[in-house]
Amino acid sequence: MKHEAMHYDKLEGGQIHCHLCSHRCLIPQGGYGICRVRQNQDGRLYTLFYGETVSANVDPVEKQPLFHFLPGSRALSVAIVGCNFQCAFCQNWQVSQAARDACEMPLSRTMTPQQVVMAAKQHGCRCIAYTYTEPTVFFEYAYDIARLARKEGISNVFVTNGYMSRQATGTIAPYLDAVNVDLKSFSDIYYSKVCKARRQPVLDFIASMKSLGIWLEVTTLLISGENDSDEEIRRTSAFIAGIDENIPWHLIRFYPEYRFASHSVTSIEALRRARKIGVGQGLRHVYLGNVNEGSDTYCPNCRKLLLKRSHFEIGPNHLAKGCCPSCGTQIAGIWR
């Protein structure tokens, strides 16, 4: 469904300057933004798939992944086609790149913001997660849902590549409770070559989430020979620790997909090495993903097991009001 977009300026000659993300596209009459889901129609910018959800699934909040935000609760995961990145390794390319690639569009169903919030309530979801694709490119829809959800006491979570502009961030921030930012690499060359984007706006977005008091976790998909060198992992983890050593960092195992179908699966040894480096840089909570280990939460002070996880399911939970019951250390997170 077509819906007029937010955050754009009209220019002479019918051009439009989109300010939604850090690409800041200049879009001619009839043209599209880099995301391919926003179009200049007669001098007005429209988002083309408002309300056309390709996903409205109930997931554990741990699947986002968020390990220190309402653990054990359920999230309604909402997605619409499109992305402002073109990652060659995308794990959800069938929906994120559907508007760009010459392929069949995925099946969708129309849901109003009111229907999304109602579905979250009916399924007992503590939060709505805007995920699977890039929520920035369906910003208007997410914004309308988030405002309604906040009134109903339901939290809002963005799982994002972190390329949202400062203007858009300022609009959505009052309704955001948590974000997981995908920091794909610490190399600007990698961002340019593999993702068709830039690194610095992502670093700035991560810092802004922390300064705004929005709960923040970071994810990096490790790909052998691409972004898993010891030096890059040191730089990435040092950057995160420099913002806050309590930010959870999720190191995710890569499986061959999309244009990286010929790449090898990330070894468990590479993930373990990266976690060791991250801890050595001062990070207190480094997790492994897409493997059957490394997802439990320990007290960073006395190493007591606090939360046991298996396939996104929560086992024994020893956190008492966010504190380690053994030594009393406060564990950063949103626990209630």
Side-chain angles (χ1 to χ4, degrees):
M1 181 170 63
K2 186 172 74 172
H3 188 285
E4 186 166 6
M6 301 170 67
H7 297 295
Y8 74 94
D9 291 331
K10 297 179 181 180
L11 305 178
E12 291 184 5
Q15 271 198 325
I16 279 172
H17 195 183
C18 180
H19 300 293
L20 183 66
C21 82
S22 292
H23 286 302
R24 298 193 179 274
C25 296
L26 285 172
I27 309 173
Q29 284 270 16
Y32 297 84
I34 285 175
C35 62
R36 300 294 299 176
V37 296
R38 307 171 85 77
Q39 186 183 27
N40 179 347
Q41 297 184 3
D42 299 320
R44 289 189 175 185
L45 186 62
Y46 289 92
T47 177
L48 302 178
F49 299 98
Y50 183 98
E52 297 179 24
T53 61
V54 293
S55 170
N57 299 327
V58 177
D59 293 321
V61 73
E62 285 76 16
K63 190 176 180 179
Q64 302 311 319
L66 288 169
F67 279 12
H68 288 228
F69 182 80
L70 304 177
S73 65
R74 290 183 290 183
L76 183 68
S77 297
V78 176
I80 288 178
V81 296
C83 188
N84 52 356
F85 278 20
Q86 301 174 50
C87 300
F89 52 79
C90 184
Q91 307 288 287
N92 293 317
W93 62 271
Q94 295 92 338
V95 287
S96 71
Q97 303 300 316
R100 177 178 293 109
D101 291 352
C103 61
E104 184 177 351
M105 291 291 286
L107 294 175
S108 64
R109 60 169 173 154
T110 301
M111 294 182 71
T112 67
Q114 292 83 356
Q115 288 173 325
V116 172
V117 174
M118 184 179 298
K121 292 179 67 176
Q122 289 174 342
H123 291 287
C125 297
R126 297 280 300 280
C127 68
I128 297 172
Y130 309 86
T131 181
Y132 295 150
T133 58
E134 174 50 48
T136 302
V137 303
F138 60 91
F139 182 88
E140 295 79 9
Y141 186 52
Y143 177 64
D144 289 345
I145 296 169
R147 288 185 298 164
L148 293 174
R150 175 57 59 86
K151 292 178 181 178
E152 296 293 337
I154 299 171
S155 298
N156 295 291
V157 170
F158 265 33
V159 181
T160 175
N161 58 30
Y163 222 58
M164 191 184 303
S165 70
R166 288 186 179 182
Q167 295 97 312
T169 299
T171 299
I172 195 68
Y175 305 99
L176 272 185
D177 298 281
V179 295
N180 184 297
V181 181
D182 194 357
L183 180 53
K184 299 175 187 294
S185 168
F186 213 75
S187 164
D188 205 43
I189 294 174
Y190 180 94
Y191 261 94
S192 176
K193 177 183 175 182
V194 179
C195 308
K196 310 303 181 189
R198 295 180 295 118
R199 179 197 62 170
Q200 192 58 49
V202 182
L203 303 185
D204 294 342
F205 181 82
I206 290 171
S208 72
M209 289 297 99
K210 179 62 183 178
S211 66
L212 288 167
I214 296 169
W215 178 252
L216 169 67
E217 303 193 19
V218 175
T219 291
T220 300
L221 181 71
L222 280 189
I223 306 175
S224 299
E226 297 287 344
N227 65 347
D228 68 335
S229 70
D230 288 2
E231 176 59 24
E232 182 163 350
I233 292 167
R234 270 193 292 270
R235 294 177 67 200
T236 304
S237 52
F239 166 76
I240 299 170
I243 293 176
D244 188 343
E245 62 188 7
N246 290 302
I247 295 172
W249 188 28
H250 302 265
L251 297 166
I252 308 298
R253 188 181 206 180
F254 167 79
Y255 287 91
E257 276 288 354
Y258 198 37
R259 296 190 172 97
F260 271 23
S262 62
H263 280 57
S264 61
V265 176
T266 308
S267 69
I268 187 66
E269 291 77 16
L271 291 171
R272 291 169 180 163
R273 186 186 77 247
R275 179 175 58 182
K276 183 176 181 180
I277 293 171
V279 171
Q281 292 297 316
L283 289 174
R284 307 182 88 183
H285 304 286
V286 183
Y287 297 105
L288 307 185
N290 281 350
V291 291
N292 294 321
E293 64 176 75
S295 62
D296 300 333
T297 297
Y298 292 86
C299 174
N301 182 45
C302 71
R303 304 307 301 166
K304 178 179 176 61
L305 175 64
L306 301 176
L307 270 172
K308 181 76 176 174
R309 298 182 182 88
S310 178
H311 302 290
F312 305 122
E313 296 294 326
I314 294 291
N317 182 348
H318 300 292
L319 276 169
K321 297 182 179 180
C323 294
C324 173
S326 179
C327 69
T329 298
Q330 181 71 42
I331 309 301
I334 308 297
W335 304 110
R336 292 186 178 182

